[in-house]
Amino acid sequence: MSMQTAVVTGGAGFVPSHLIDLLLANGLRVVALDNFVTGNVRNIAHLQGNPHFSFIEQDVSEPFDVAGPVDYVFHMASPASPIDYVKIPIETLKAGSYATHNSLDLALRKKARFLVASTSEVYGDPEVHPQQESYWGNVNPIGVRSCYDEAKRYAEAATMAYHRAYGLDTKIVRIFNTYGPRMRLDDGRVVPAFIGQALRGEPMTVFGDGSQTRSFCYVSDLVAGIWKLAQSDGHEPVNCGNPHEMTIMQFAEAVSHHFGIPLKLDQKPLPPDDPKVRKPDITRAKNFLGWEPIVEFDDGIRQTIAYFRDLVS
Ligand code: UDP
């Protein structure tokens, strides 16, 4: 059988760059597209010279094409950090809307499978805990996060519409908080924020009282789940995340423990619409994909700290 080809939008981003590594390791050819709004060329630098990898600098919110046959389209391009939603809300909206249409159209033209990166943010500030895929969410449509949340909800709607109207083979992964090497040190998210602060000897900026919870999934686990989903049958959204839930205060304690330093805090106000609890119910992924995370938090955070240490040294 000839090599299969995957197109990955946002390929220079944190999660997509790990997905590309996995696809190449599984014998696929990969074409990555990125306009470097939030992606970084460093994340794909190790692929330079790989004959099975090619890169196109492209804003996928604008129409685009890719030469030759394509078997999978992974639409992963989007800003994904709360500080991005404030700085580049229009780009964030377009990544979920125009870019989703352009990526769906590519999949349609190429008769390829389509997978869209959705998010736990479709659940908003959830009133149901843990979050199952059947929950419709509690999103503020005009809040500071709405450019991301609503764009991703739109992306899901567009994906289901192409599936229903054209019979396109579509998948939707709802990604929960993910961490690991290649995150942006300055993207404002809690994992790089606290690790960066610990590296610089600064206090950790806990927002609110730190009682809000998140469940952190190591990136290698996440992309393994995405690849399993891409190869599966079925079109329902699937949560991919780690159900190991902790408060942000516990996360700060864990990071300072790993650095062997006393916990120093600089408490700041909680940003508006910051979800109070978040934990995936991954029963569907377990039953349907035979997938669950395997990387322990202590191992994942050690690898992540090692990456950021190297980056700043
Ligand atoms: N957070 C924090 N300090 C920071 C950055 C984030 O306390 O410097 C909190 C934030 O308020 C949220 C949680 O950590 O409750 C996770 O934030 P992040 O931006 O990583 O992602 P989110 O899950 O909110 O999209």
Side-chain angles (χ1 to χ4, degrees):
M1 203 171 89
S2 64
M3 272 182 110
Q4 292 194 307
T5 298
V7 169
V8 180
T9 72
F14 159 52
V15 169
S17 69
H18 285 277
L19 177 65
I20 291 170
D21 288 343
L22 186 70
L23 295 172
L24 291 168
N26 278 279
L28 282 85
R29 202 170 74 85
V30 175
V31 182
L33 301 100
D34 206 300
N35 63 347
F36 301 116
V37 163
T38 54
N40 194 310
V41 73
R42 186 175 52 229
N43 293 340
I44 47 171
H46 61 290
L47 300 175
Q48 214 182 2
N50 184 325
H52 300 143
F53 176 75
S54 56
F55 180 78
I56 303 170
E57 188 164 344
Q58 171 73 41
D59 176 358
V60 293
S61 300
E62 301 293 335
F64 66 93
D65 203 5
V66 170
V70 174
D71 300 282
Y72 295 91
V73 175
F74 292 90
H75 178 39
M76 312 292 289
S78 178
S81 163
I83 61 168
D84 294 336
Y85 315 150
V86 177
K87 272 195 272 182
I88 46 172
I90 312 301
E91 288 86 340
T92 306
L93 276 170
K94 287 184 177 175
S97 55
Y98 298 175
T100 303
H101 277 284
N102 293 333
S103 305
L104 282 161
D105 287 337
L106 177 72
L108 209 53
R109 287 198 301 279
K110 300 287 185 180
K111 299 185 172 52
R113 277 195 170 187
F114 176 84
L115 181 145
V116 66
S118 185
T119 169
S120 55
E121 289 283 333
V122 300
Y123 303 122
D125 189 2
E127 290 158 320
V128 168
H129 199 60
Q131 293 79 54
Q132 288 185 335
E133 291 88 347
S134 54
Y135 178 50
W136 291 354
N138 176 38
V139 173
N140 175 356
I142 56 165
V144 285
R145 287 180 180 242
S146 65
C147 60
Y148 184 66
D149 299 8
E150 297 292 12
K152 288 293 189 184
R153 288 170 70 96
Y154 180 89
E156 290 199 8
T159 300
M160 290 310 295
Y162 274 64
H163 170 64
R164 293 189 182 112
Y166 301 130
L168 189 69
D169 190 359
T170 58
K171 320 285 164 196
I172 298 171
V173 58
R174 290 186 180 153
I175 300 174
F176 282 65
N177 292 70
T178 300
Y179 71 102
R182 304 184 195 158
M183 292 189 95
R184 261 160 57 209
L185 190 54
D186 63 348
D187 85 351
R189 280 188 283 186
V190 71
V191 174
F194 287 2
I195 294 176
Q197 287 155 353
L199 283 169
R200 295 188 296 271
E202 295 168 2
M204 289 177 200
T205 50
V206 167
F207 298 163
D209 63 4
S211 65
Q212 69 273 34
T213 71
R214 294 293 186 272
S215 311
F216 297 103
C217 184
Y218 193 64
V219 66
S220 60
D221 280 334
L222 176 78
V223 297
I226 292 176
W227 179 223
K228 281 197 164 185
L229 177 61
Q231 295 169 94
S232 70
D233 300 325
H235 311 284
E236 299 286 304
V238 177
N239 287 340
C240 273
N242 192 320
H244 178 71
E245 183 184 13
M246 64 179 85
T247 66
I248 292 306
M249 194 60 86
Q250 286 169 333
F251 177 66
E253 283 160 4
V255 172
S256 49
H257 172 78
H258 272 274
F259 277 87
I261 54 174
L263 183 64
K264 274 192 295 175
L265 299 179
D266 175 13
Q267 270 170 295
K268 305 243 186 206
L270 193 65
D273 298 330
D274 197 289
K276 284 178 278 304
V277 289
R278 184 181 290 151
K279 172 182 172 165
D281 181 322
I282 58 165
T283 310
R284 186 176 286 176
K286 276 188 190 165
N287 293 344
F288 178 56
L289 307 177
W291 173 86
E292 64 183 309
I294 52 172
V295 178
E296 295 293 335
F297 175 76
D298 277 341
D299 294 333
I301 206 73
R302 203 173 299 122
Q303 302 277 343
T304 310
I305 291 171
Y307 168 79
F308 283 120
R309 253 193 226 288
D310 274 2
L311 195 69
V312 298
S313 65

